[in-house]
Amino acid sequence: MDRPITVIGGAGRVGSLIVQKLLAGGERVRVVGRSGRRARSLPDGTSFHVGDVRDAATLKEPLAACSAVVFSVEPGTANQGADSPKSTMYQGVINALDAARADGARPHFALVSQIYVTRHDHPINNWGRMLDWRLAGEDAVRESGLPYTVVRPGWLTGGRSAGDRVHVEQGDRGEGSVSRSDVAEAVVQSLYLPSAAGLTFEIFNEPGQGNPDWDALFSSLRQGPVAAR
Ligand SMILES: NC(=O)c1ccc[n+]([C@@H]2O[C@H](COP(=O)([O-])OP(=O)(O)OC[C@H]3O[C@@H](n4cnc5c(N)ncnc54)[C@H](OP(=O)(O)O)[C@@H]3O)[C@@H](O)[C@H]2O)c1
């Protein structure tokens, strides 16, 4: 891409895989995170920016004039206040969208969300209404006017414990796990393939062959808000 790509949470487990894949493809990558300590393990060629999605001012510089933004942030679980999912997965997403759209810019915005966001009665929602606020953050992305992709992984695993095949679906009724590497690849592919624009989908591994045709997978899905509520 002609301008840098910004990965918020790029020093995290999924985020660092995204960063590695982007660097391998020759991209210039900016990483945003709160801790300079984590940043020490980032690969050469990455520029690290201390920032917190809950503090809008810290996002201005790293999100200025970029080709794409990835948001892969783990929220706190408090019921309210700075460590609540509301502060990170809702207000934090809005802060990132605002910074991304500054001066009329229109970068692709890829959000790493999770399965279950439309299942209000799921026990995960007992943690600070995690699911409700994640869904509100997703909605903000879908309504942002930016080209976007919302990726909802199943349970994250280090390897492909559920199988090598990548399965994508919509409607938030599925269950399963998915490797962080396949989630990272889905995010990276979504930045390049027009077929991923406007998609919200769940992603799992299952038994079968790996190495998917991402364009075919994305093209099999429906654009727009598809969440069952
Ligand atoms: N665990 C699962 O099974 C599962 C399933 C589905 C979806 N997910 C979601 O997938 C995403 C990626 O997961 P992961 O395992 O890669 O998480 P992770 O390793 O904990 O990485 C999260 C990153 O977010 C950054 N971060 C946290 N709070 C931040 C803030 N306020 N502002 C800026 N950066 C912040 C962290 O860096 P600093 O601490 O340095 O800021 C870290 O680099 C998360 O949203 C997670 O909830 C997880």
Side-chain angles (χ1 to χ4, degrees):
M1 295 194 189
D2 53 350
R3 283 167 288 135
I5 297 171
T6 301
V7 184
I8 310 175
R13 286 165 291 184
V14 171
S16 57
L17 294 172
I18 293 170
V19 168
Q20 283 167 27
K21 289 170 186 286
L22 291 172
L23 288 173
E27 300 292 358
R28 283 167 295 155
V29 182
R30 300 171 183 163
V31 166
V32 179
R34 296 166 301 173
S35 153
R37 188 177 49 78
R38 272 189 200 256
R40 285 203 282 274
S41 55
L42 284 168
D44 289 347
T46 320
S47 72
F48 182 75
H49 302 251
V50 176
D52 188 323
V53 295
R54 301 166 297 182
D55 180 354
T58 65
L59 301 180
K60 274 189 190 162
E61 187 201 328
L63 270 70
C66 52
S67 299
V69 176
V70 176
F71 190 107
S72 179
V73 172
E74 179 75 27
T77 54
N79 284 327
Q80 54 198 355
D83 285 328
S84 64
K86 179 183 181 185
S87 70
T88 305
M89 297 311 294
Y90 176 61
Q91 190 57 51
V93 168
I94 288 178
N95 291 341
L97 288 167
D98 287 345
R101 286 180 298 207
D103 301 322
R106 283 183 50 76
H108 190 102
F109 196 100
L111 175 69
V112 180
S113 184
Q114 68 165 102
I115 56 167
Y116 302 146
V117 288
T118 65
R119 298 187 229 181
H120 175 75
D121 295 329
H122 193 282
I124 291 178
N125 220 13
N126 295 336
W127 300 96
R129 292 180 54 211
M130 171 80 75
L131 300 174
D132 295 346
W133 289 117
R134 273 199 192 264
L135 183 59
E138 285 192 4
D139 285 341
V141 171
R142 285 186 283 266
E143 291 159 12
S144 66
L146 294 179
Y148 71 83
T149 308
V150 175
V151 181
R152 294 173 171 169
W155 297 105
L156 295 174
T157 53
R160 295 189 176 91
S161 51
D164 287 348
R165 187 165 182 269
V166 172
H167 171 73
V168 294
E169 62 181 46
Q170 294 171 305
D172 194 22
R173 287 292 167 260
E175 299 280 348
S177 64
V178 60
S179 72
R180 287 189 170 86
S181 170
D182 284 329
V183 174
E185 187 64 27
V187 169
V188 169
Q189 293 290 335
S190 80
L191 307 183
Y192 298 97
L193 291 170
S195 53
L199 293 184
T200 298
F201 61 89
E202 296 84 55
I203 180 167
F204 305 103
N205 285 129
E206 60 184 24
Q209 286 238 316
N211 206 9
D213 176 341
W214 289 98
D215 194 26
L217 285 183
F218 294 149
S219 298
S220 72
L221 300 171
R222 270 188 304 132
Q223 293 187 320
V226 292
R229 302 202 182 206

